[in-house]
């Protein structure tokens, strides 16, 4: 369990960070033709991180401009279809990791999909709960299948598969994705399995759209934000969905993952 793990802490003075802004948080987002989702997800990610790298294709100039306008840095992957790949997400993530690790060697790194909205208190969660430097951290997510469901804060599903790539947080700058993947379905599992220990942060992320549709590149309809269908009400901290037991796996060591179904990620879903 966590207490049995070597005492390795956040990259900060021995006393630990005195506030969430005393730690470095750097994000990598791979995004190709996710303009509607990025309008929602990227401003939030930029607001909670010290630096965000958006990795996209040379042709997706709209994403490049959106990223720069939001205050993110743009990196280009030219091999999304190398070796007959349908969406070589692995190399795109690797490009982001290499730049992030080189320029921010003492940071915590968040790999976040373009259709994932991180919580406003992400920095606080990292400061308070990410205490093991050689572990992988993850969060459950709530899926909103339509823009209307998201506007109304009425999730359609809860997804909590072990450590997959929609949100992965780590601090060891020696850990990298592979250099090639056929699509967006398994490279995150290979990366996940490099970690002996995994933990869940409290809280959750929000996923815009259905899962597994876009593993081979964008197939779903464009995400067009809409206003809420009812007066705004404070959304619950953990929205309930059908079949949600409300079980709390916060800071539970999710080790032993090598025996899990390798499945696939929901990157670019």
């Amino acid at each position: 369990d966590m207490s049995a793990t070597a005492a390795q802490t956040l990259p900060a003075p021995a006393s630990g960070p005195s506030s969430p802004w005393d730690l470095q948080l750097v994000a990598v987002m791979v995004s190709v033709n996710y303009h509607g989702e990025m309008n929602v997800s990227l401003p939030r990610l930029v607001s909670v991180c010290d630096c965000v790298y958006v990795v996209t294709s040379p042709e997706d100039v709209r994403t490049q401009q959106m990223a720069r306008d939001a205050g993110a840095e743009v990196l280009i992957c030219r091999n999304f279809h190398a070796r007959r790949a349908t969406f070589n997400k692995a190399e795109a993530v690797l490009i982001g990791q290499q730049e992030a690790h080189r320029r921010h060697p003492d940071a915590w790194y968040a790999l976040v999909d373009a259709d994932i909205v991180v919580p406003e208190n992400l920095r606080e969660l990292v400061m308070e709960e990410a205490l093991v430097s050689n572990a992988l951290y993850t969060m459950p997510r709530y899926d909103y299948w339509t823009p209307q469901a998201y506007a109304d804060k009425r999730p359609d599903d809860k997804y909590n598969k072990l450590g997959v790539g929609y949100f992965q947080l780590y601090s060891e700058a020696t850990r990298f994705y592979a250099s090639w993947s056929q699509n967006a379905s398994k490279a995150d599992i290979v990366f996940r399995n490099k970690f002996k220990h995994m933990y869940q942060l409290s809280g959750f992320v929000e996923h815009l759209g259905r899962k597994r549709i876009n593993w081979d590149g964008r197939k779903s309809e464009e995400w067009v934000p809409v206003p809420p269908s009812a007066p705004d009400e404070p959304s619950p901290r953990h929205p309930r969905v059908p079949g949600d037991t409300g079980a709390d796996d916060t800071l539970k060591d999710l080790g032993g993952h090598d025996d899990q179904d390798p499945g696939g990620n929901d990157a670019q879903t």
Side-chain angles (χ1 to χ4, degrees), residues 185-252:
S185 67
K186 293 183 179 180
D188 60 323
I189 303 301
V190 175
F191 181 71
R192 176 198 72 175
N193 289 348
K194 294 181 178 182
F195 294 85
K196 181 178 180 181
H197 296 284
M198 290 189 295
Y199 301 95
Q200 278 192 339
L201 301 176
S202 60
F204 59 92
V205 298
E206 297 173 311
H207 176 244
L208 309 179
R210 293 178 179 264
K211 60 188 178 185
R212 298 192 178 98
I213 295 176
N214 298 315
W215 282 352
D216 296 304
R218 182 63 181 261
K219 308 296 183 186
S220 60
E221 295 181 1
E222 183 177 358
W223 184 273
V224 181
V226 298
S229 59
D232 289 339
E233 297 178 0
S235 59
R237 182 169 180 267
H238 293 280
R240 287 300 179 90
V241 296
D244 183 3
T245 64
D248 186 2
D249 291 325
T250 301
L251 289 183
K252 180 178 180 181

Coordinates of all heavy atoms in Angstrom, one line a residue, residues 185-252:
S185 N -5.9 3.0 -29.1 CA -6.6 2.0 -28.2 C -5.7 1.3 -27.2 O -6.2 0.8 -26.2 CB -7.3 1.0 -29.0 OG -6.4 0.2 -29.7
K186 N -4.4 1.3 -27.4 CA -3.6 0.4 -26.5 C -2.3 1.0 -25.9 O -1.7 0.5 -25.0 CB -3.3 -0.9 -27.1 CG -4.5 -1.8 -27.3 CD -4.2 -3.1 -27.9 CE -5.5 -3.9 -28.1 NZ -5.2 -5.3 -28.7
A187 N -1.8 2.1 -26.6 CA -0.5 2.6 -26.1 C -0.5 3.1 -24.7 O 0.5 3.0 -24.0 CB -0.1 3.8 -27.0
D188 N -1.7 3.6 -24.2 CA -1.8 4.0 -22.9 C -1.7 2.9 -21.9 O -1.3 3.0 -20.8 CB -3.1 4.8 -22.7 CG -4.3 3.9 -23.0 OD1 -4.3 3.1 -23.9 OD2 -5.4 4.1 -22.3
I189 N -2.2 1.7 -22.3 CA -2.1 0.5 -21.4 C -0.7 0.1 -21.3 O -0.2 -0.3 -20.2 CB -3.0 -0.6 -22.0 CG1 -4.4 -0.1 -22.2 CG2 -2.9 -1.8 -21.1 CD1 -5.1 0.3 -20.9
V190 N 0.1 0.1 -22.4 CA 1.5 -0.2 -22.3 C 2.2 0.7 -21.3 O 3.0 0.3 -20.5 CB 2.2 -0.2 -23.7 CG1 3.7 -0.4 -23.6 CG2 1.5 -1.2 -24.6
F191 N 1.9 2.0 -21.4 CA 2.5 3.0 -20.5 C 2.0 2.8 -19.1 O 2.9 2.8 -18.2 CB 2.1 4.4 -21.0 CG 2.7 5.5 -20.1 CD1 4.0 5.8 -20.2 CD2 1.9 6.3 -19.3 CE1 4.6 6.8 -19.4 CE2 2.4 7.3 -18.5 CZ 3.8 7.6 -18.6
R192 N 0.8 2.5 -18.9 CA 0.3 2.3 -17.5 C 1.0 1.1 -16.9 O 1.3 1.2 -15.7 CB -1.2 1.9 -17.7 CG -1.9 1.5 -16.3 CD -3.2 0.8 -16.6 NE -3.0 -0.5 -17.1 CZ -4.0 -1.4 -17.3 NH1 -5.2 -1.1 -17.0 NH2 -3.7 -2.6 -17.7
N193 N 1.3 0.1 -17.6 CA 1.9 -1.1 -17.1 C 3.3 -0.9 -16.7 O 4.0 -1.9 -16.2 CB 1.7 -2.3 -18.0 CG 0.3 -2.8 -18.1 OD1 -0.6 -2.4 -17.3 ND2 0.0 -3.6 -19.1
K194 N 3.9 0.2 -17.0 CA 5.3 0.5 -16.5 C 5.3 0.9 -15.1 O 6.4 1.0 -14.5 CB 5.9 1.6 -17.4 CG 6.1 1.3 -18.8 CD 6.7 2.4 -19.6 CE 7.0 2.0 -21.1 NZ 7.6 3.1 -21.8
F195 N 4.2 1.1 -14.5 CA 4.1 1.6 -13.1 C 3.7 0.4 -12.2 O 2.7 -0.2 -12.4 CB 3.1 2.7 -12.9 CG 3.5 4.0 -13.6 CD1 3.3 4.2 -15.0 CD2 4.2 5.0 -13.0 CE1 3.6 5.3 -15.6 CE2 4.6 6.1 -13.6 CZ 4.3 6.3 -14.9
K196 N 4.4 0.2 -11.1 CA 4.0 -0.8 -10.1 C 2.8 -0.4 -9.3 O 2.0 -1.3 -8.9 CB 5.2 -1.1 -9.2 CG 5.0 -2.2 -8.2 CD 6.2 -2.5 -7.3 CE 5.9 -3.6 -6.3 NZ 7.1 -3.8 -5.5
H197 N 2.7 0.9 -9.0 CA 1.6 1.3 -8.1 C 0.8 2.4 -8.9 O 1.3 3.2 -9.6 CB 2.2 2.0 -6.9 CG 2.9 1.0 -6.0 ND1 2.3 0.1 -5.2 CD2 4.3 0.9 -5.8 CE1 3.2 -0.6 -4.5 NE2 4.4 -0.2 -4.9
M198 N -0.5 2.3 -8.7 CA -1.4 3.3 -9.2 C -2.4 3.7 -8.1 O -2.8 2.8 -7.3 CB -2.2 2.7 -10.4 CG -1.3 2.5 -11.6 SD -2.4 2.2 -13.1 CE -3.0 0.6 -12.6
Y199 N -2.8 4.9 -8.1 CA -3.7 5.5 -7.1 C -4.8 6.3 -7.8 O -4.5 6.9 -8.9 CB -3.0 6.3 -6.1 CG -1.9 5.6 -5.3 CD1 -0.6 5.6 -5.7 CD2 -2.2 4.8 -4.2 CE1 0.4 5.0 -5.0 CE2 -1.3 4.2 -3.5 CZ 0.1 4.2 -3.9 OH 1.0 3.6 -3.2
Q200 N -5.9 6.4 -7.2 CA -6.9 7.3 -7.7 C -7.0 8.6 -6.8 O -7.0 8.5 -5.6 CB -8.3 6.7 -7.6 CG -8.6 5.8 -8.8 CD -10.1 5.4 -8.8 OE1 -10.8 5.4 -7.8 NE2 -10.5 5.0 -10.0
L201 N -7.0 9.7 -7.5 CA -7.2 11.0 -6.8 C -8.7 11.1 -6.6 O -9.5 10.5 -7.3 CB -6.8 12.1 -7.7 CG -5.3 12.2 -8.1 CD1 -5.1 13.4 -9.0 CD2 -4.4 12.3 -6.9
S202 N -9.1 11.8 -5.5 CA -10.5 12.1 -5.3 C -11.0 13.1 -6.4 O -10.2 13.8 -7.0 CB -10.7 12.7 -3.9 OG -10.0 13.9 -3.7
G203 N -12.2 13.2 -6.5 CA -12.8 14.0 -7.6 C -13.0 13.2 -8.9 O -12.9 12.0 -8.9
F204 N -13.2 13.9 -10.0 CA -13.5 13.2 -11.2 C -13.2 14.2 -12.4 O -13.2 15.4 -12.2 CB -14.9 12.7 -11.3 CG -15.9 13.8 -11.1 CD1 -16.5 14.5 -12.2 CD2 -16.4 14.2 -9.9 CE1 -17.4 15.5 -12.1 CE2 -17.3 15.2 -9.7 CZ -17.8 15.8 -10.8
V205 N -13.0 13.6 -13.6 CA -13.0 14.4 -14.8 C -14.2 14.2 -15.5 O -15.0 13.3 -15.3 CB -11.7 14.0 -15.6 CG1 -10.4 14.3 -14.9 CG2 -11.8 12.6 -16.1
E206 N -14.5 15.1 -16.5 CA -15.7 15.0 -17.3 C -15.3 14.7 -18.8 O -14.4 15.3 -19.3 CB -16.5 16.3 -17.3 CG -17.0 16.6 -15.8 CD -17.6 18.0 -15.7 OE1 -17.0 18.9 -16.2 OE2 -18.7 18.0 -15.2
H207 N -16.0 13.8 -19.4 CA -15.7 13.3 -20.8 C -16.8 13.8 -21.7 O -18.0 13.5 -21.4 CB -15.5 11.8 -20.8 CG -15.3 11.3 -22.2 ND1 -16.2 10.4 -22.8 CD2 -14.3 11.4 -23.1 CE1 -15.8 10.1 -24.0 NE2 -14.6 10.7 -24.2
L208 N -16.4 14.5 -22.8 CA -17.4 15.0 -23.7 C -17.6 14.0 -24.9 O -16.7 13.9 -25.8 CB -16.9 16.3 -24.2 CG -16.6 17.4 -23.2 CD1 -16.1 18.7 -23.8 CD2 -17.7 17.6 -22.2
G209 N -18.7 13.3 -24.9 CA -18.9 12.3 -26.0 C -19.0 10.9 -25.5 O -18.8 10.6 -24.3
R210 N -19.2 10.0 -26.4 CA -19.2 8.5 -26.2 C -17.8 7.9 -26.3 O -17.0 8.5 -26.9 CB -20.2 7.8 -27.1 CG -21.7 8.2 -27.0 CD -22.5 7.5 -28.0 NE -23.9 7.9 -27.9 CZ -24.8 7.1 -27.2 NH1 -24.4 6.0 -26.6 NH2 -26.1 7.5 -27.1
K211 N -17.7 6.8 -25.6 CA -16.4 6.2 -25.6 C -16.2 5.3 -26.8 O -17.1 4.8 -27.4 CB -16.2 5.4 -24.3 CG -17.2 4.3 -24.1 CD -17.0 3.7 -22.7 CE -18.0 2.6 -22.4 NZ -17.9 2.1 -21.1
R212 N -14.9 5.1 -27.2 CA -14.4 4.1 -28.2 C -14.8 4.5 -29.6 O -14.4 3.7 -30.5 CB -14.9 2.7 -27.9 CG -14.4 2.2 -26.6 CD -14.7 0.7 -26.4 NE -14.2 0.1 -25.2 CZ -14.9 0.0 -24.1 NH1 -16.2 0.3 -24.1 NH2 -14.4 -0.5 -23.0
I213 N -15.4 5.6 -29.9 CA -15.9 5.9 -31.3 C -14.7 6.3 -32.1 O -14.6 6.0 -33.3 CB -17.0 6.9 -31.3 CG1 -18.2 6.4 -30.6 CG2 -17.3 7.4 -32.7 CD1 -19.4 7.4 -30.5
N214 N -13.8 7.1 -31.5 CA -12.8 7.8 -32.3 C -11.3 7.3 -32.2 O -10.4 8.0 -32.3 CB -12.8 9.3 -32.0 CG -14.1 9.9 -32.3 OD1 -14.7 9.7 -33.4 ND2 -14.7 10.7 -31.4
W215 N -11.2 6.0 -31.9 CA -9.9 5.4 -31.8 C -9.0 5.6 -33.0 O -7.8 5.6 -33.0 CB -10.0 3.9 -31.4 CG -10.3 3.7 -29.9 CD1 -10.3 4.7 -28.9 CD2 -10.6 2.5 -29.3 NE1 -10.6 4.1 -27.8 CE2 -10.8 2.7 -27.9 CE3 -10.6 1.2 -29.8 CZ2 -11.1 1.7 -27.0 CZ3 -10.9 0.1 -28.9 CH2 -11.2 0.4 -27.5
D216 N -9.7 5.6 -34.2 CA -9.0 5.7 -35.5 C -9.0 7.1 -36.1 O -8.9 7.2 -37.3 CB -9.6 4.7 -36.5 CG -9.4 3.2 -36.0 OD1 -8.3 2.8 -35.7 OD2 -10.4 2.5 -35.8
G217 N -9.2 8.1 -35.2 CA -9.3 9.4 -35.7 C -10.8 9.9 -35.5 O -11.7 9.1 -35.3
R218 N -11.0 11.1 -35.7 CA -12.3 11.7 -35.5 C -13.4 11.1 -36.4 O -13.3 11.3 -37.6 CB -12.3 13.2 -35.7 CG -13.6 14.0 -35.4 CD -14.0 13.8 -33.9 NE -15.2 14.4 -33.5 CZ -15.3 15.5 -32.9 NH1 -14.2 16.2 -32.6 NH2 -16.5 16.0 -32.5
K219 N -14.4 10.5 -35.8 CA -15.5 9.9 -36.6 C -16.8 10.6 -36.1 O -17.8 10.6 -36.9 CB -15.6 8.4 -36.4 CG -14.3 7.7 -36.7 CD -13.9 7.8 -38.2 CE -12.6 7.0 -38.4 NZ -12.1 7.2 -39.8
S220 N -16.9 11.0 -34.9 CA -18.2 11.5 -34.3 C -18.5 12.9 -34.9 O -17.6 13.5 -35.4 CB -18.1 11.5 -32.8 OG -17.0 12.3 -32.4
E221 N -19.7 13.3 -34.7 CA -20.1 14.6 -35.1 C -19.4 15.7 -34.3 O -19.0 15.4 -33.1 CB -21.6 14.8 -34.9 CG -22.5 13.9 -35.8 CD -24.0 14.1 -35.6 OE1 -24.3 14.9 -34.8 OE2 -24.8 13.4 -36.3
E222 N -19.3 16.8 -34.8 CA -18.7 17.9 -34.1 C -19.4 18.3 -32.9 O -20.7 18.3 -32.8 CB -18.6 19.2 -35.0 CG -17.9 20.4 -34.4 CD -17.7 21.6 -35.3 OE1 -18.2 21.5 -36.4 OE2 -17.2 22.6 -34.8
W223 N -18.7 18.6 -31.8 CA -19.3 18.9 -30.5 C -19.6 20.4 -30.5 O -18.7 21.3 -30.6 CB -18.3 18.6 -29.4 CG -18.8 18.9 -28.0 CD1 -18.8 20.0 -27.3 CD2 -19.5 17.9 -27.2 NE1 -19.4 19.9 -26.1 CE2 -19.8 18.6 -26.0 CE3 -19.8 16.5 -27.3 CZ2 -20.4 17.9 -24.9 CZ3 -20.4 15.9 -26.2 CH2 -20.7 16.6 -25.1
V224 N -20.9 20.7 -30.5 CA -21.3 22.1 -30.5 C -22.0 22.5 -29.2 O -23.1 22.0 -28.9 CB -22.3 22.4 -31.7 CG1 -22.8 23.8 -31.7 CG2 -21.7 21.9 -33.0
P225 N -21.3 23.3 -28.3 CA -21.8 23.6 -27.0 C -23.2 24.3 -27.1 O -23.5 25.0 -28.1 CB -20.8 24.6 -26.4 CG -19.5 24.2 -27.1 CD -19.9 23.8 -28.5
V226 N -24.1 24.0 -26.2 CA -25.4 24.5 -26.1 C -25.7 25.1 -24.7 O -25.0 24.7 -23.7 CB -26.5 23.5 -26.5 CG1 -26.3 23.0 -27.9 CG2 -26.4 22.3 -25.5
P227 N -26.6 26.0 -24.5 CA -27.0 26.5 -23.2 C -27.7 25.4 -22.4 O -28.3 24.5 -23.0 CB -27.8 27.7 -23.5 CG -28.4 27.4 -24.8 CD -27.4 26.7 -25.6
P228 N -27.7 25.5 -21.1 CA -28.5 24.6 -20.3 C -30.0 24.6 -20.6 O -30.5 25.7 -21.0 CB -28.2 25.0 -18.8 CG -27.0 25.8 -18.9 CD -27.0 26.4 -20.3
S229 N -30.7 23.5 -20.5 CA -32.1 23.5 -20.7 C -32.9 23.9 -19.5 O -34.1 24.0 -19.6 CB -32.5 22.1 -21.2 OG -32.2 21.1 -20.2
A230 N -32.3 24.1 -18.4 CA -33.0 24.5 -17.2 C -32.1 25.6 -16.5 O -30.9 25.7 -16.8 CB -33.2 23.3 -16.3
P231 N -32.7 26.3 -15.6 CA -31.9 27.3 -14.8 C -30.7 26.6 -14.1 O -30.8 25.5 -13.7 CB -32.9 27.9 -13.8 CG -34.2 27.7 -14.4 CD -34.1 26.4 -15.2
D232 N -29.6 27.3 -14.1 CA -28.4 26.8 -13.5 C -28.6 26.4 -12.1 O -29.1 27.2 -11.3 CB -27.2 27.8 -13.6 CG -26.7 27.9 -15.1 OD1 -27.0 27.0 -15.9 OD2 -26.1 28.9 -15.3
E233 N -28.1 25.3 -11.7 CA -28.1 24.8 -10.3 C -26.7 24.3 -10.0 O -26.0 23.8 -10.9 CB -29.1 23.7 -10.1 CG -30.6 24.2 -10.3 CD -31.5 23.0 -10.1 OE1 -31.0 21.9 -9.8 OE2 -32.7 23.2 -10.3
P234 N -26.3 24.4 -8.7 CA -25.0 23.9 -8.4 C -24.9 22.4 -8.7 O -25.8 21.6 -8.3 CB -24.8 24.1 -6.9 CG -25.8 25.3 -6.6 CD -26.9 25.1 -7.6
S235 N -23.9 22.0 -9.5 CA -23.8 20.5 -9.8 C -23.3 19.8 -8.6 O -22.4 20.3 -7.9 CB -23.0 20.3 -11.0 OG -21.7 20.8 -10.8
P236 N -23.7 18.6 -8.4 CA -23.2 17.8 -7.2 C -21.7 17.5 -7.5 O -21.3 17.4 -8.6 CB -24.0 16.5 -7.2 CG -24.6 16.4 -8.6 CD -24.7 17.8 -9.1
R237 N -21.0 17.3 -6.4 CA -19.6 17.0 -6.5 C -19.4 15.7 -7.3 O -18.4 15.6 -8.1 CB -18.9 16.9 -5.1 CG -17.4 16.6 -5.1 CD -16.9 16.8 -3.7 NE -15.4 16.5 -3.7 CZ -14.9 15.3 -3.5 NH1 -15.6 14.3 -3.3 NH2 -13.6 15.2 -3.5
H238 N -20.2 14.7 -7.0 CA -20.2 13.5 -7.8 C -21.5 13.2 -8.4 O -22.4 12.6 -7.7 CB -19.8 12.3 -6.9 CG -18.4 12.4 -6.3 ND1 -17.3 12.0 -7.1 CD2 -17.9 12.8 -5.1 CE1 -16.2 12.2 -6.4 NE2 -16.5 12.6 -5.2
P239 N -21.8 13.7 -9.6 CA -23.1 13.4 -10.2 C -23.4 11.9 -10.2 O -22.5 11.1 -10.5 CB -22.9 14.0 -11.6 CG -21.7 14.9 -11.6 CD -20.8 14.4 -10.5
R240 N -24.6 11.6 -10.0 CA -25.0 10.2 -10.0 C -25.5 9.8 -11.4 O -26.2 10.6 -12.1 CB -26.1 10.0 -9.0 CG -25.6 10.0 -7.5 CD -24.6 8.9 -7.3 NE -24.1 8.9 -6.0 CZ -24.6 8.2 -5.0 NH1 -25.7 7.4 -5.2 NH2 -24.1 8.2 -3.8
V241 N -25.2 8.6 -11.8 CA -25.7 8.1 -13.1 C -26.3 6.7 -12.8 O -26.0 6.1 -11.7 CB -24.5 7.9 -14.1 CG1 -23.9 9.3 -14.4 CG2 -23.4 7.0 -13.6
P242 N -27.1 6.2 -13.7 CA -27.6 4.9 -13.5 C -26.6 3.8 -13.2 O -25.6 3.7 -13.9 CB -28.4 4.6 -14.8 CG -28.7 5.9 -15.3 CD -27.5 6.8 -14.9
G243 N -26.7 3.1 -12.1 CA -25.8 2.0 -11.8 C -24.6 2.5 -10.9 O -23.8 1.7 -10.6
D244 N -24.5 3.8 -10.6 CA -23.4 4.3 -9.8 C -23.7 4.0 -8.4 O -24.7 4.5 -7.8 CB -23.3 5.8 -10.1 CG -22.1 6.4 -9.4 OD1 -21.4 5.7 -8.7 OD2 -22.0 7.6 -9.5
T245 N -22.8 3.2 -7.7 CA -23.0 2.9 -6.3 C -22.5 4.0 -5.4 O -22.8 4.0 -4.2 CB -22.3 1.6 -6.0 OG1 -20.9 1.8 -6.2 CG2 -22.8 0.5 -6.9
G246 N -21.7 4.9 -6.0 CA -21.1 5.9 -5.1 C -19.9 5.5 -4.4 O -19.4 6.2 -3.5
A247 N -19.4 4.3 -4.7 CA -18.2 3.8 -4.0 C -17.1 4.7 -4.2 O -16.8 5.2 -5.3 CB -17.9 2.4 -4.6
D248 N -16.3 4.9 -3.2 CA -15.2 5.8 -3.2 C -13.9 5.0 -3.2 O -13.5 4.4 -2.2 CB -15.2 6.7 -2.0 CG -14.2 7.8 -2.0 OD1 -13.5 7.9 -3.0 OD2 -14.2 8.6 -1.1
D249 N -13.1 5.1 -4.3 CA -11.8 4.4 -4.4 C -10.6 5.4 -4.2 O -9.5 5.2 -4.5 CB -11.6 3.8 -5.7 CG -12.6 2.6 -5.9 OD1 -12.8 1.9 -4.9 OD2 -13.0 2.4 -7.0
T250 N -10.9 6.5 -3.5 CA -9.9 7.6 -3.4 C -8.7 7.0 -2.7 O -8.7 6.4 -1.7 CB -10.5 8.7 -2.5 OG1 -11.7 9.2 -3.1 CG2 -9.5 9.8 -2.3
L251 N -7.5 7.3 -3.3 CA -6.2 6.9 -2.8 C -6.1 5.5 -2.5 O -5.4 5.0 -1.7 CB -5.9 7.8 -1.6 CG -5.6 9.2 -1.9 CD1 -5.1 10.0 -0.6 CD2 -4.5 9.4 -2.9
K252 N -6.8 4.7 -3.3 CA -6.7 3.2 -3.1 C -5.6 2.8 -4.1 O -5.6 3.1 -5.2 CB -8.0 2.6 -3.5 CG -8.0 1.0 -3.5 CD -9.4 0.5 -3.8 CE -9.4 -1.0 -3.8 NZ -10.8 -1.5 -4.1

